[in-house]
Amino acid sequence: MALSARGQQWARLSSDMLIWTVIQDLWEPETNPNGYISLGVAENALMHDELTKYIHANIDLPSNGLTYGDGGKGTKKLRAAMARFLTRKLNPVTPFEPSQICITNGVTSSIDHMSSIIADPGDTFLLGQPHYGAFIPDIELRPGTKVAQVAFGDVDPLSLEAVSAYERTIESCKARKQKVAGLVLCNPHNPLGRCYPREYIIELMKVCQKHQVHLISDEIYALSVFRQSDPTDESVIPFTSLASIPTDGLIDPALTHIIYGLSKDFGANGLRLGCIVSQHNQELQTALTTVSIYSYVSSLTDSIATKLLSDDGFVDWYIEENNKRLQAQYELVVAWAEKHSIEYTRGVNAAFFLWVNLGKTHSKSVQTGKLKEKEVDSAKKLRLRRVEESANEPAEASTGVDAHNDAGSDIDTVVNDALLEQKVFLASGVQFGSEKPGWFRIVFSQNPKLLHLGLERIERALGLSE
Ligand SMILES: Cc1ncc(COP(=O)(O)O)c(C=O)c1O
């Protein structure tokens, strides 16, 4: 039975999402010794023991947990707890109110909602490169909107100089009669692990006001900031929430929105809890009331999150301890990169990623004879191109200023294949719209034993093992 064109496109995309293959075949010493080690999925396992213990000790499902509760936006208790928690942590200009918050089953759903609500099919969202890979499907797939990637060339994407590239992209969209509805910022940045300077956000607010573009700040890593400053690395920037900057004279506050969730700072991807915080846009809140039924959070998650976020003592300890552990893991992975002369981004102080140039290291190993040069098989190249083309298919109404990244260079494919051959999975820069070939994202928040094993496998893939 034929599916819709949309259904067929989704079916095609699914078969090429390697991540789902990998997570069904993960390494486990007893039961699956030949499985993959994943340092590719943005999960933080460093506090799993503590959080599961806390959940078991505190779970308390009220009898109305078996009803539809207070509606799709989350219970009143959870929205109040989230408002209080975020007010304590994000330093907003005005305290958050429960009525300004819509709870969703993960930030993924928050982004999907925002795309549908602020843009019409064919309208455009801007994403600076590189960016969290799944932003593209989250923004485009169901709402039928388009992403225009913003390229920075040799300019640091988090430097003030980069802001003008957003405005140039808006102008070229306008010249093509393409409406730019929104700009999604990820602060702290995935995959770069850095924070945007306050002045950068201010300049972006001005650009968004000038062109009447919604500014959505995905702050899902807001509390995973493990170095506030570093005398040896001046590029370390403290975190600033969009909500903490007064909008007066800069932007209509109705154009500003924050997204948050428990997946990253609490290492709890599986609980599926996110939220949209929009303080000054009542119509958006009303629209969310209508669609929130599609992102209902389970009452179990709702009640656990309410308890957790109301427990200031535990939360404050948890965040501090998590950041200590992230710092230790960060130091470990940086020392490893230094030891092997692997190029990596500086200024990392947040999230749990190191962005590394494995392409360069691989090429060096080929030149020095430590690795044999490999041909990229042309069928694979073709397959990658097809994925890209189908991802662009709904583009009929609007083509996007920059076509999404091409299928990646040979070196991306060669390194990716070499990693998979050694049964280690990393996210490739190709999925993140990296402008430069050969870059990969190492997630360093797995438990230390797994991280060591993963790094050893990367060494083998790159011809670095002694
Ligand atoms: C920047 C960013 N936003 C959203 C998500 C998805 O979050 P959730 O698990 O809440 O859907 C991720 C997960 O990697 C992410 O890195």
Side-chain angles (χ1 to χ4, degrees), residues 123-151:
D123 288 351
T124 298
F125 281 81
L126 303 189
L127 277 185
Q129 293 175 272
H131 52 76
Y132 166 52
F135 272 151
I136 292 186
D138 297 351
I139 290 170
E140 290 186 341
L141 262 190
R142 300 207 295 186
T145 54
K146 273 307 295 169
V147 164
Q149 291 170 312
V150 178

PDB file of all heavy atoms in Angstrom, residues 123-151:
ATOM      1  N   ASP A 123       8.535  28.396   5.025  1.00  0.00           N
ATOM      2  CA  ASP A 123       9.316  29.465   5.675  1.00  0.00           C
ATOM      3  C   ASP A 123      10.646  28.899   6.187  1.00  0.00           C
ATOM      4  O   ASP A 123      10.802  27.683   6.348  1.00  0.00           O
ATOM      5  CB  ASP A 123       8.550  30.061   6.859  1.00  0.00           C
ATOM      6  CG  ASP A 123       7.366  30.922   6.422  1.00  0.00           C
ATOM      7  OD1 ASP A 123       7.254  31.193   5.212  1.00  0.00           O
ATOM      8  OD2 ASP A 123       6.567  31.294   7.290  1.00  0.00           O
ATOM      9  N   THR A 124      11.534  29.818   6.497  1.00  0.00           N
ATOM     10  CA  THR A 124      12.920  29.412   6.787  1.00  0.00           C
ATOM     11  C   THR A 124      13.340  29.687   8.229  1.00  0.00           C
ATOM     12  O   THR A 124      12.913  30.671   8.830  1.00  0.00           O
ATOM     13  CB  THR A 124      13.863  30.192   5.833  1.00  0.00           C
ATOM     14  OG1 THR A 124      13.524  29.821   4.506  1.00  0.00           O
ATOM     15  CG2 THR A 124      15.319  29.886   6.078  1.00  0.00           C
ATOM     16  N   PHE A 125      14.174  28.793   8.724  1.00  0.00           N
ATOM     17  CA  PHE A 125      14.869  28.995  10.009  1.00  0.00           C
ATOM     18  C   PHE A 125      16.367  29.055   9.746  1.00  0.00           C
ATOM     19  O   PHE A 125      16.875  28.280   8.928  1.00  0.00           O
ATOM     20  CB  PHE A 125      14.609  27.816  10.959  1.00  0.00           C
ATOM     21  CG  PHE A 125      13.282  27.883  11.628  1.00  0.00           C
ATOM     22  CD1 PHE A 125      12.144  27.463  10.957  1.00  0.00           C
ATOM     23  CD2 PHE A 125      13.160  28.379  12.912  1.00  0.00           C
ATOM     24  CE1 PHE A 125      10.916  27.533  11.565  1.00  0.00           C
ATOM     25  CE2 PHE A 125      11.930  28.451  13.530  1.00  0.00           C
ATOM     26  CZ  PHE A 125      10.793  28.024  12.855  1.00  0.00           C
ATOM     27  N   LEU A 126      17.050  29.900  10.464  1.00  0.00           N
ATOM     28  CA  LEU A 126      18.506  29.982  10.308  1.00  0.00           C
ATOM     29  C   LEU A 126      19.205  29.141  11.372  1.00  0.00           C
ATOM     30  O   LEU A 126      18.804  29.131  12.537  1.00  0.00           O
ATOM     31  CB  LEU A 126      18.985  31.423  10.466  1.00  0.00           C
ATOM     32  CG  LEU A 126      18.394  32.479   9.541  1.00  0.00           C
ATOM     33  CD1 LEU A 126      19.152  33.788   9.713  1.00  0.00           C
ATOM     34  CD2 LEU A 126      18.447  32.041   8.083  1.00  0.00           C
ATOM     35  N   LEU A 127      20.249  28.462  10.918  1.00  0.00           N
ATOM     36  CA  LEU A 127      21.102  27.676  11.826  1.00  0.00           C
ATOM     37  C   LEU A 127      22.553  27.957  11.469  1.00  0.00           C
ATOM     38  O   LEU A 127      22.974  27.698  10.325  1.00  0.00           O
ATOM     39  CB  LEU A 127      20.882  26.184  11.582  1.00  0.00           C
ATOM     40  CG  LEU A 127      19.731  25.430  12.224  1.00  0.00           C
ATOM     41  CD1 LEU A 127      19.857  23.946  11.893  1.00  0.00           C
ATOM     42  CD2 LEU A 127      19.729  25.624  13.738  1.00  0.00           C
ATOM     43  N   GLY A 128      23.312  28.467  12.415  1.00  0.00           N
ATOM     44  CA  GLY A 128      24.738  28.688  12.162  1.00  0.00           C
ATOM     45  C   GLY A 128      25.473  27.352  12.127  1.00  0.00           C
ATOM     46  O   GLY A 128      25.129  26.434  12.859  1.00  0.00           O
ATOM     47  N   GLN A 129      26.484  27.275  11.275  1.00  0.00           N
ATOM     48  CA  GLN A 129      27.259  26.028  11.127  1.00  0.00           C
ATOM     49  C   GLN A 129      28.533  26.080  11.981  1.00  0.00           C
ATOM     50  O   GLN A 129      29.150  27.150  12.037  1.00  0.00           O
ATOM     51  CB  GLN A 129      27.662  25.844   9.663  1.00  0.00           C
ATOM     52  CG  GLN A 129      26.481  25.591   8.739  1.00  0.00           C
ATOM     53  CD  GLN A 129      26.913  25.548   7.281  1.00  0.00           C
ATOM     54  OE1 GLN A 129      26.963  26.583   6.619  1.00  0.00           O
ATOM     55  NE2 GLN A 129      27.236  24.379   6.792  1.00  0.00           N
ATOM     56  N   PRO A 130      28.921  24.954  12.578  1.00  0.00           N
ATOM     57  CA  PRO A 130      28.194  23.689  12.633  1.00  0.00           C
ATOM     58  C   PRO A 130      27.039  23.795  13.637  1.00  0.00           C
ATOM     59  O   PRO A 130      27.018  24.720  14.461  1.00  0.00           O
ATOM     60  CB  PRO A 130      29.259  22.691  13.121  1.00  0.00           C
ATOM     61  CG  PRO A 130      30.183  23.514  13.977  1.00  0.00           C
ATOM     62  CD  PRO A 130      30.206  24.870  13.343  1.00  0.00           C
ATOM     63  N   HIS A 131      26.114  22.843  13.568  1.00  0.00           N
ATOM     64  CA  HIS A 131      24.959  22.875  14.463  1.00  0.00           C
ATOM     65  C   HIS A 131      24.568  21.452  14.849  1.00  0.00           C
ATOM     66  O   HIS A 131      24.940  20.488  14.167  1.00  0.00           O
ATOM     67  CB  HIS A 131      23.778  23.547  13.759  1.00  0.00           C
ATOM     68  CG  HIS A 131      23.494  22.945  12.408  1.00  0.00           C
ATOM     69  ND1 HIS A 131      22.860  21.729  12.256  1.00  0.00           N
ATOM     70  CD2 HIS A 131      23.800  23.371  11.152  1.00  0.00           C
ATOM     71  CE1 HIS A 131      22.778  21.440  10.966  1.00  0.00           C
ATOM     72  NE2 HIS A 131      23.346  22.406  10.277  1.00  0.00           N
ATOM     73  N   TYR A 132      23.817  21.337  15.919  1.00  0.00           N
ATOM     74  CA  TYR A 132      23.263  20.039  16.335  1.00  0.00           C
ATOM     75  C   TYR A 132      22.537  19.438  15.124  1.00  0.00           C
ATOM     76  O   TYR A 132      21.637  20.063  14.556  1.00  0.00           O
ATOM     77  CB  TYR A 132      22.329  20.287  17.516  1.00  0.00           C
ATOM     78  CG  TYR A 132      21.395  19.154  17.888  1.00  0.00           C
ATOM     79  CD1 TYR A 132      21.869  17.864  18.111  1.00  0.00           C
ATOM     80  CD2 TYR A 132      20.031  19.396  18.043  1.00  0.00           C
ATOM     81  CE1 TYR A 132      20.989  16.847  18.472  1.00  0.00           C
ATOM     82  CE2 TYR A 132      19.156  18.386  18.410  1.00  0.00           C
ATOM     83  CZ  TYR A 132      19.645  17.106  18.615  1.00  0.00           C
ATOM     84  OH  TYR A 132      18.789  16.108  18.967  1.00  0.00           O
ATOM     85  N   GLY A 133      22.947  18.223  14.736  1.00  0.00           N
ATOM     86  CA  GLY A 133      22.468  17.643  13.482  1.00  0.00           C
ATOM     87  C   GLY A 133      20.959  17.501  13.403  1.00  0.00           C
ATOM     88  O   GLY A 133      20.339  17.795  12.372  1.00  0.00           O
ATOM     89  N   ALA A 134      20.335  17.066  14.522  1.00  0.00           N
ATOM     90  CA  ALA A 134      18.900  16.787  14.472  1.00  0.00           C
ATOM     91  C   ALA A 134      18.046  18.057  14.445  1.00  0.00           C
ATOM     92  O   ALA A 134      16.825  17.965  14.298  1.00  0.00           O
ATOM     93  CB  ALA A 134      18.496  15.893  15.636  1.00  0.00           C
ATOM     94  N   PHE A 135      18.663  19.234  14.576  1.00  0.00           N
ATOM     95  CA  PHE A 135      17.863  20.451  14.423  1.00  0.00           C
ATOM     96  C   PHE A 135      17.164  20.443  13.056  1.00  0.00           C
ATOM     97  O   PHE A 135      16.028  20.907  12.929  1.00  0.00           O
ATOM     98  CB  PHE A 135      18.745  21.702  14.507  1.00  0.00           C
ATOM     99  CG  PHE A 135      18.948  22.241  15.893  1.00  0.00           C
ATOM    100  CD1 PHE A 135      20.115  22.930  16.233  1.00  0.00           C
ATOM    101  CD2 PHE A 135      17.966  22.098  16.873  1.00  0.00           C
ATOM    102  CE1 PHE A 135      20.309  23.451  17.507  1.00  0.00           C
ATOM    103  CE2 PHE A 135      18.151  22.620  18.150  1.00  0.00           C
ATOM    104  CZ  PHE A 135      19.321  23.295  18.467  1.00  0.00           C
ATOM    105  N   ILE A 136      17.848  19.932  12.041  1.00  0.00           N
ATOM    106  CA  ILE A 136      17.254  20.000  10.690  1.00  0.00           C
ATOM    107  C   ILE A 136      15.959  19.182  10.629  1.00  0.00           C
ATOM    108  O   ILE A 136      14.904  19.753  10.332  1.00  0.00           O
ATOM    109  CB  ILE A 136      18.279  19.628   9.603  1.00  0.00           C
ATOM    110  CG1 ILE A 136      19.350  20.722   9.560  1.00  0.00           C
ATOM    111  CG2 ILE A 136      17.583  19.486   8.239  1.00  0.00           C
ATOM    112  CD1 ILE A 136      20.359  20.599   8.451  1.00  0.00           C
ATOM    113  N   PRO A 137      15.979  17.881  10.955  1.00  0.00           N
ATOM    114  CA  PRO A 137      14.687  17.184  10.944  1.00  0.00           C
ATOM    115  C   PRO A 137      13.693  17.740  11.959  1.00  0.00           C
ATOM    116  O   PRO A 137      12.489  17.821  11.668  1.00  0.00           O
ATOM    117  CB  PRO A 137      15.054  15.731  11.268  1.00  0.00           C
ATOM    118  CG  PRO A 137      16.457  15.755  11.775  1.00  0.00           C
ATOM    119  CD  PRO A 137      17.106  16.976  11.199  1.00  0.00           C
ATOM    120  N   ASP A 138      14.168  18.139  13.137  1.00  0.00           N
ATOM    121  CA  ASP A 138      13.225  18.653  14.147  1.00  0.00           C
ATOM    122  C   ASP A 138      12.479  19.885  13.618  1.00  0.00           C
ATOM    123  O   ASP A 138      11.288  20.067  13.860  1.00  0.00           O
ATOM    124  CB  ASP A 138      13.956  19.041  15.446  1.00  0.00           C
ATOM    125  CG  ASP A 138      14.616  17.841  16.121  1.00  0.00           C
ATOM    126  OD1 ASP A 138      14.379  16.703  15.688  1.00  0.00           O
ATOM    127  OD2 ASP A 138      15.400  18.054  17.078  1.00  0.00           O
ATOM    128  N   ILE A 139      13.198  20.718  12.904  1.00  0.00           N
ATOM    129  CA  ILE A 139      12.589  21.954  12.385  1.00  0.00           C
ATOM    130  C   ILE A 139      11.747  21.670  11.137  1.00  0.00           C
ATOM    131  O   ILE A 139      10.632  22.168  10.991  1.00  0.00           O
ATOM    132  CB  ILE A 139      13.700  22.991  12.057  1.00  0.00           C
ATOM    133  CG1 ILE A 139      14.339  23.502  13.356  1.00  0.00           C
ATOM    134  CG2 ILE A 139      13.146  24.147  11.220  1.00  0.00           C
ATOM    135  CD1 ILE A 139      15.597  24.335  13.151  1.00  0.00           C
ATOM    136  N   GLU A 140      12.299  20.818  10.248  1.00  0.00           N
ATOM    137  CA  GLU A 140      11.695  20.708   8.909  1.00  0.00           C
ATOM    138  C   GLU A 140      10.636  19.622   8.755  1.00  0.00           C
ATOM    139  O   GLU A 140       9.643  19.811   8.063  1.00  0.00           O
ATOM    140  CB  GLU A 140      12.791  20.379   7.883  1.00  0.00           C
ATOM    141  CG  GLU A 140      13.768  21.486   7.608  1.00  0.00           C
ATOM    142  CD  GLU A 140      14.731  21.102   6.472  1.00  0.00           C
ATOM    143  OE1 GLU A 140      14.874  19.896   6.170  1.00  0.00           O
ATOM    144  OE2 GLU A 140      15.330  22.015   5.901  1.00  0.00           O
ATOM    145  N   LEU A 141      10.910  18.443   9.345  1.00  0.00           N
ATOM    146  CA  LEU A 141      10.206  17.234   8.902  1.00  0.00           C
ATOM    147  C   LEU A 141       8.689  17.332   8.965  1.00  0.00           C
ATOM    148  O   LEU A 141       8.008  17.129   7.968  1.00  0.00           O
ATOM    149  CB  LEU A 141      10.655  16.032   9.731  1.00  0.00           C
ATOM    150  CG  LEU A 141      11.718  15.130   9.103  1.00  0.00           C
ATOM    151  CD1 LEU A 141      11.878  13.857   9.911  1.00  0.00           C
ATOM    152  CD2 LEU A 141      11.414  14.809   7.663  1.00  0.00           C
ATOM    153  N   ARG A 142       8.164  17.623  10.132  1.00  0.00           N
ATOM    154  CA  ARG A 142       6.701  17.636  10.249  1.00  0.00           C
ATOM    155  C   ARG A 142       6.110  18.998   9.871  1.00  0.00           C
ATOM    156  O   ARG A 142       5.126  19.044   9.146  1.00  0.00           O
ATOM    157  CB  ARG A 142       6.285  17.182  11.653  1.00  0.00           C
ATOM    158  CG  ARG A 142       6.780  15.760  11.933  1.00  0.00           C
ATOM    159  CD  ARG A 142       5.947  15.037  12.902  1.00  0.00           C
ATOM    160  NE  ARG A 142       6.005  15.650  14.226  1.00  0.00           N
ATOM    161  CZ  ARG A 142       5.428  15.113  15.281  1.00  0.00           C
ATOM    162  NH1 ARG A 142       4.744  14.002  15.163  1.00  0.00           N
ATOM    163  NH2 ARG A 142       5.524  15.692  16.458  1.00  0.00           N
ATOM    164  N   PRO A 143       6.735  20.120  10.297  1.00  0.00           N
ATOM    165  CA  PRO A 143       6.122  21.412   9.940  1.00  0.00           C
ATOM    166  C   PRO A 143       6.275  21.783   8.462  1.00  0.00           C
ATOM    167  O   PRO A 143       5.573  22.670   7.983  1.00  0.00           O
ATOM    168  CB  PRO A 143       6.879  22.416  10.823  1.00  0.00           C
ATOM    169  CG  PRO A 143       7.474  21.591  11.923  1.00  0.00           C
ATOM    170  CD  PRO A 143       7.801  20.271  11.294  1.00  0.00           C
ATOM    171  N   GLY A 144       7.196  21.128   7.728  1.00  0.00           N
ATOM    172  CA  GLY A 144       7.374  21.472   6.310  1.00  0.00           C
ATOM    173  C   GLY A 144       8.061  22.812   6.110  1.00  0.00           C
ATOM    174  O   GLY A 144       7.910  23.473   5.085  1.00  0.00           O
ATOM    175  N   THR A 145       8.833  23.221   7.117  1.00  0.00           N
ATOM    176  CA  THR A 145       9.604  24.462   7.001  1.00  0.00           C
ATOM    177  C   THR A 145      10.996  24.116   6.481  1.00  0.00           C
ATOM    178  O   THR A 145      11.310  22.940   6.274  1.00  0.00           O
ATOM    179  CB  THR A 145       9.715  25.146   8.384  1.00  0.00           C
ATOM    180  OG1 THR A 145      10.255  24.185   9.295  1.00  0.00           O
ATOM    181  CG2 THR A 145       8.345  25.594   8.872  1.00  0.00           C
ATOM    182  N   LYS A 146      11.827  25.130   6.299  1.00  0.00           N
ATOM    183  CA  LYS A 146      13.157  24.892   5.729  1.00  0.00           C
ATOM    184  C   LYS A 146      14.234  25.480   6.619  1.00  0.00           C
ATOM    185  O   LYS A 146      14.026  26.506   7.255  1.00  0.00           O
ATOM    186  CB  LYS A 146      13.275  25.605   4.386  1.00  0.00           C
ATOM    187  CG  LYS A 146      12.815  24.861   3.180  1.00  0.00           C
ATOM    188  CD  LYS A 146      13.411  23.497   2.999  1.00  0.00           C
ATOM    189  CE  LYS A 146      14.902  23.473   2.746  1.00  0.00           C
ATOM    190  NZ  LYS A 146      15.426  22.087   2.857  1.00  0.00           N
ATOM    191  N   VAL A 147      15.374  24.844   6.612  1.00  0.00           N
ATOM    192  CA  VAL A 147      16.534  25.408   7.314  1.00  0.00           C
ATOM    193  C   VAL A 147      17.469  26.032   6.288  1.00  0.00           C
ATOM    194  O   VAL A 147      17.735  25.429   5.245  1.00  0.00           O
ATOM    195  CB  VAL A 147      17.286  24.304   8.092  1.00  0.00           C
ATOM    196  CG1 VAL A 147      18.679  24.774   8.497  1.00  0.00           C
ATOM    197  CG2 VAL A 147      16.494  23.878   9.318  1.00  0.00           C
ATOM    198  N   ALA A 148      17.933  27.235   6.576  1.00  0.00           N
ATOM    199  CA  ALA A 148      19.034  27.813   5.799  1.00  0.00           C
ATOM    200  C   ALA A 148      20.244  27.827   6.724  1.00  0.00           C
ATOM    201  O   ALA A 148      20.202  28.439   7.802  1.00  0.00           O
ATOM    202  CB  ALA A 148      18.698  29.217   5.336  1.00  0.00           C
ATOM    203  N   GLN A 149      21.270  27.110   6.322  1.00  0.00           N
ATOM    204  CA  GLN A 149      22.476  27.084   7.154  1.00  0.00           C
ATOM    205  C   GLN A 149      23.254  28.394   6.939  1.00  0.00           C
ATOM    206  O   GLN A 149      23.322  28.896   5.812  1.00  0.00           O
ATOM    207  CB  GLN A 149      23.350  25.894   6.770  1.00  0.00           C
ATOM    208  CG  GLN A 149      22.720  24.554   7.146  1.00  0.00           C
ATOM    209  CD  GLN A 149      23.465  23.380   6.554  1.00  0.00           C
ATOM    210  OE1 GLN A 149      23.769  23.376   5.362  1.00  0.00           O
ATOM    211  NE2 GLN A 149      23.741  22.385   7.365  1.00  0.00           N
ATOM    212  N   VAL A 150      23.814  28.886   8.019  1.00  0.00           N
ATOM    213  CA  VAL A 150      24.594  30.119   7.937  1.00  0.00           C
ATOM    214  C   VAL A 150      26.074  29.737   8.010  1.00  0.00           C
ATOM    215  O   VAL A 150      26.520  29.151   8.995  1.00  0.00           O
ATOM    216  CB  VAL A 150      24.224  31.079   9.095  1.00  0.00           C
ATOM    217  CG1 VAL A 150      25.064  32.343   9.030  1.00  0.00           C
ATOM    218  CG2 VAL A 150      22.736  31.398   9.049  1.00  0.00           C
ATOM    219  N   ALA A 151      26.788  30.069   6.935  1.00  0.00           N
ATOM    220  CA  ALA A 151      28.207  29.688   6.860  1.00  0.00           C
ATOM    221  C   ALA A 151      29.072  30.844   7.374  1.00  0.00           C
ATOM    222  O   ALA A 151      28.726  32.012   7.202  1.00  0.00           O
ATOM    223  CB  ALA A 151      28.554  29.368   5.419  1.00  0.00           C
TER     224      ALA A 151
END
